[in-house]
């Protein structure tokens, strides 16, 4: 049966056009096994048990031995009862007949019934799911072990096609960025100018907007098949996992093999603010978050000469209105002068967006590298260390930081009007763009001067660092 189900894919064809894509024939072997699994049969107690917990029914037999439970269940596949443990009074055991023997499981209740990770509304559902799992894993252990070896996921033409189209679009809309390469003759110490020339003329930084799937355990209503291996997802509840960003449905074990190619579905992205940066740009097929582009465009159109730009706060209520407008309307949000005459509201909304990112622009895993770089006293070595940190940022974070620093550099060009130089902007944006992983208050205070210095360096040297 397993062999015939495997061969069902051999006749399927994959179109290069995602609109013409036809899914392969799903493999039915595990579904057939679930249909064959024993059905639960409750063995009721003939007399009323005064000690019976209120969340158990007549299947509760009170304080009986394992041997007695075995006698009551003998000869009936799928039969079950609940007994109070003789070894540990006050605890309860589910006795279940499967494979010609009685299996005993410690039974728990916290509002739902469970013996493992899954939680059930009723004992009957728990036993039903358990019998399915036991039956399938007994009958198809070898099949399950091999079911990920020939995944249909690799044959899904629309997956690679969509990825290629997105990458091509991002590459077309993104101006070329330079990668720093520090190569020097061991006998000659290059001057700062020659170092910067090496930075500027280095090869392009490779940008690949990969995103891991955000899998969460999911209960599927009705039969569902894994979109990685094409096999049935068995069980009564929590049969597999679903990516909450793109909706991909797979077995839990298959989720570990799925490539980092999540393409978020806009219908699943509930808001713009507080949304993971990579998730947002992937969902909108943009190199940077729309909030960054729209706010910077508005600020550069009418606010570069505004005194105390980014330092002066706008009205909190109005900034919250801008947040709600982006969450509700996305790129159609109206942040024009007619709606918000005070440019500090737009600047405040941009800072709020960056501050509310679940993972800050300078990510937690490279935070310490930037702090250590800021502590280096030699200017050239410090720039090298800063750039090494930049190259380790996820592409969406890198592009966001690059675009922001280019903007802040323009802000400093109007310092005579707005009184905002790179140091002042470093004070404002340091804690916004960099947050320590442990969120320790003392560590944050100690790092503030280094956070300021990093942003200051990124602004002053944005033309050679990015």
């Amino acid at each position: 049966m397993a062999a015939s189900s495997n061969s069902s894919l051999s006749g399927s064809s994959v179109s290069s056009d995602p609109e013409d894509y036809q899914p392969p024939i799903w493999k039915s072997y595990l579904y057939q096994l679930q249909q064959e699994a024993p059905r639960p049969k409750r063995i009721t107690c003939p007399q009323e048990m005064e000690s019976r917990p209120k969340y158990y029914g007549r299947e509760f037999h009170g304080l009986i031995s394992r041997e007695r439970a075995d006698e009551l269940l003998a000869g009936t596949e799928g039969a079950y009862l609940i007994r109070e443990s003789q070894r540990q009074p006050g605890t309860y055991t589910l006795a279940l007949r499967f494979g010609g023997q009685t299996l005993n499981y410690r039974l728990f209740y916290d509002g739902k019934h469970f013996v493992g990770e899954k939680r059930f509304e009723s004992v009957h559902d728990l036993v039903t799911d358990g019998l399915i799992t036991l039956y399938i894993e007994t009958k198809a252990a070898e099949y399950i072990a091999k079911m990920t070896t020939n995944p249909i996921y690799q044959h899904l033409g629309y997956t690679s096609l969509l990825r290629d189209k997105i990458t091509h679009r991002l590459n077309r809309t993104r101006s070329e960025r330079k990668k720093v390469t520090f190569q020097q003759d061991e006998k000659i110490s290059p001057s700062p100018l020659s170092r910067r020339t090496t930075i500027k003329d280095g090869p392009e930084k490779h940008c690949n907007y990969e995103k891991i799937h955000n899998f969460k355990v999911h209960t599927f209503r009705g039969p569902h098949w894994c979109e990685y291996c094409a096999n049935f997802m068995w069980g009564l509840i929590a049969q597999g996992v679903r990516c909450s960003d793109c909706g991909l449905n797979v077995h839990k074990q298959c989720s570990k093999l799925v490539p980092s190619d999540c393409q978020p579905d806009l219908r699943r992205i509930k808001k713009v603010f507080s949304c993971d940066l990579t998730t947002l740009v992937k969902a909108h097929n943009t190199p940077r978050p729309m909030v960054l582009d729209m706010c910077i465009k508005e600020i550069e159109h009418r606010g570069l000469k505004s005194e105390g730009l980014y330092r002066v706060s706008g009205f909190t209520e109005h900034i919250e209105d801008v947040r709600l407008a982006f969450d509700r309307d996305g790129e159609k949000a109206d942040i024009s002068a007619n709606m918000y005459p005070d440019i500090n509201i737009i600047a405040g909304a941009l800072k709020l967006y960056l501050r509310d990112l679940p993972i800050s622009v300078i990510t937690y895993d490279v935070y310490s590298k930037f702090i250590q770089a800021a502590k280096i006293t030699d200017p050239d070595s410090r720039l090298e260390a800063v750039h090494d940190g930049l190259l380790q940022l996820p592409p969406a974070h890198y592009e966001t930081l690059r675009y922001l620093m280019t903007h802040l550099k323009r802000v400093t060009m109007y310092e005579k009007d707005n009184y905002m130089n790179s140091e002042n902007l470093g004070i404002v944006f340091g804690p916004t763009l960099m947050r320590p992983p442990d969120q320790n208050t003392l560590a944050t205070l100690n790092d503030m001067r280094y956070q300021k210095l990093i942003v200051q360096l990124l602004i002053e040297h944005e033309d050679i660092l990015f």
Side-chain angles (χ1 to χ4, degrees):
M1 187 180 296
S4 63
S5 63
N6 276 330
S7 64
S8 62
L9 279 175
S10 60
S12 63
S13 60
V14 178
S15 168
S16 60
D17 188 342
E19 294 183 358
D20 295 336
Y21 169 75
Q22 295 295 324
I25 299 173
W26 304 111
K27 303 172 186 177
S28 62
Y29 177 48
L30 298 180
Y31 175 73
Q32 293 169 5
L33 287 183
Q34 175 161 310
Q35 297 301 100
E36 298 169 5
R39 297 293 183 261
K41 301 175 181 63
R42 185 174 68 155
I43 305 300
T44 59
C45 184
Q47 67 264 18
E48 186 67 32
M49 302 296 299
E50 295 182 1
S51 60
R52 184 182 72 193
K54 61 181 179 180
Y55 41 83
Y56 295 139
R58 296 293 298 274
E59 70 274 6
F60 181 75
H61 286 248
L63 197 66
I64 63 173
S65 65
R66 285 190 173 210
E67 292 73 20
R68 178 56 181 159
D70 189 48
E71 292 175 5
L72 292 170
L73 300 177
T76 309
E77 193 77 351
Y80 73 94
L81 59 81
I82 298 172
R83 62 182 179 83
E84 185 174 358
S85 174
Q86 289 185 324
R87 295 178 181 177
Q88 294 179 293
T91 64
Y92 304 99
T93 298
L94 172 67
L96 173 65
R97 192 73 176 179
F98 177 81
Q101 59 182 330
T102 300
L103 308 176
N104 291 277
Y105 300 93
R106 178 79 175 272
L107 187 59
F108 301 91
Y109 181 80
D110 62 356
K112 291 188 176 181
H113 304 274
F114 63 99
V115 297
E117 293 182 357
K118 295 184 179 183
R119 281 162 164 73
F120 300 84
E121 296 292 342
S122 69
V123 174
H124 184 273
D125 287 348
L126 185 156
V127 174
T128 302
D129 185 85
L131 287 169
I132 291 171
T133 301
L134 286 168
Y135 187 78
I136 289 179
E137 292 183 355
T138 299
K139 292 283 186 178
E142 185 177 353
Y143 181 89
I144 292 171
K146 295 180 179 179
M147 70 182 184
T148 60
T149 56
N150 184 29
I152 62 162
Y153 196 83
Q154 304 300 327
H155 302 288
L156 298 185
Y158 69 89
T159 303
S160 58
L161 182 64
L162 180 59
R163 183 170 59 249
D164 292 342
K165 284 183 176 179
I166 293 167
T167 303
H168 178 67
R169 179 182 175 186
L170 291 175
N171 288 335
R172 283 193 299 105
T173 58
R174 186 186 309 112
S175 60
E176 288 193 357
R177 302 197 298 275
K178 303 297 180 181
K179 176 178 179 180
V180 184
T181 55
F182 296 100
Q183 296 179 350
Q184 51 181 296
D185 192 307
E186 293 179 357
K187 299 180 181 179
I188 302 175
S189 178
S191 66
L193 180 60
S194 66
R195 279 179 179 271
R196 294 178 185 184
T197 302
T198 306
I199 293 173
K200 192 71 176 177
D201 295 337
E204 182 182 0
K205 173 180 166 55
H206 176 68
C207 185
N208 183 11
Y209 277 51
E210 288 190 349
K211 180 189 178 308
I212 62 172
H213 291 271
N214 184 19
F215 286 120
K216 295 181 179 178
V217 175
H218 189 77
T219 293
F220 299 95
R221 304 300 178 189
H224 268 73
W225 274 256
C226 175
E227 294 171 37
Y228 181 80
C229 71
N231 281 288
F232 179 66
M233 294 194 282
W234 64 90
L236 201 61
I237 68 167
Q239 303 96 327
V241 295
R242 167 176 287 176
C243 177
S244 59
D245 293 334
C246 71
L248 182 70
N249 304 316
V250 296
H251 291 110
K252 186 176 180 180
Q253 59 266 46
C254 291
S255 68
K256 301 172 185 177
L257 303 173
V258 175
S260 298
D261 60 355
C262 176
Q263 177 58 37
D265 185 341
L266 276 175
R267 293 171 297 180
R268 297 179 181 275
I269 307 299
K270 298 180 175 63
K271 54 187 177 180
V272 171
F273 277 63
S274 301
C275 177
D276 171 67
L277 201 157
T278 302
T279 299
L280 188 68
V281 300
K282 288 276 286 184
H284 288 270
N285 293 344
T286 57
R288 299 172 299 273
M290 69 182 77
V291 179
L292 191 77
D293 282 1
M294 292 176 63
C295 287
I296 286 178
K297 181 180 178 182
E298 195 66 27
I299 290 166
E300 294 193 352
H301 175 65
R302 58 184 174 99
L304 286 176
K305 295 183 178 181
S306 177
E307 183 175 339
L309 179 64
Y310 289 117
R311 178 176 55 79
V312 176
S313 300
F315 286 110
T316 303
E317 295 83 356
H318 293 167
I319 291 174
E320 186 62 27
D321 287 344
V322 175
R323 176 216 282 264
L324 294 173
F326 274 113
D327 284 344
R328 181 183 63 248
D329 304 324
E331 60 187 12
K332 296 181 180 179
D334 185 1
I335 58 172
S336 66
N338 292 333
M339 184 64 68
Y340 302 103
D342 183 5
I343 196 63
N344 294 311
I345 295 171
I346 307 304
L350 176 56
K351 289 190 296 181
L352 177 63
Y353 170 76
L354 295 170
R355 190 167 59 246
D356 279 1
L357 286 172
I359 301 175
S360 54
V361 177
I362 293 179
T363 56
Y364 298 127
D365 54 340
V366 297
Y367 176 87
S368 61
K369 296 182 185 298
F370 279 92
I371 294 299
Q372 293 304 314
K375 295 178 180 180
I376 298 173
T377 55
D378 178 66
D380 292 326
S381 298
R382 184 166 58 197
L383 280 182
E384 290 184 27
V386 169
H387 189 266
D388 286 342
L390 289 174
L391 293 181
Q392 295 179 49
L393 289 174
H397 289 247
Y398 179 96
E399 172 60 17
T400 297
L401 189 61
R402 182 199 68 81
Y403 194 78
L404 178 62
M405 292 303 113
T406 303
H407 162 67
L408 295 181
K409 184 67 172 285
R410 284 195 287 269
V411 171
T412 63
M413 295 169 69
Y414 292 83
E415 181 186 348
K416 291 183 179 179
D417 299 298
N418 58 37
Y419 301 104
M420 295 300 290
N421 58 25
S422 59
E423 183 178 2
N424 293 335
L425 290 168
I427 293 172
V428 172
F429 280 94
T432 300
L433 299 175
M434 301 177 66
R435 296 196 299 271
D438 54 8
Q439 300 291 320
N440 182 282
T441 304
L442 182 60
T444 303
L445 291 173
N446 291 336
D447 289 349
M448 284 186 68
R449 59 175 173 156
Y450 301 117
Q451 294 170 348
K452 180 212 75 171
L453 180 57
I454 287 296
V455 175
Q456 183 179 344
L457 289 170
L458 291 173
I459 295 172
E460 292 175 354
H461 301 284
E462 62 83 24
D463 58 331
I464 60 171
L465 285 173
F466 294 95

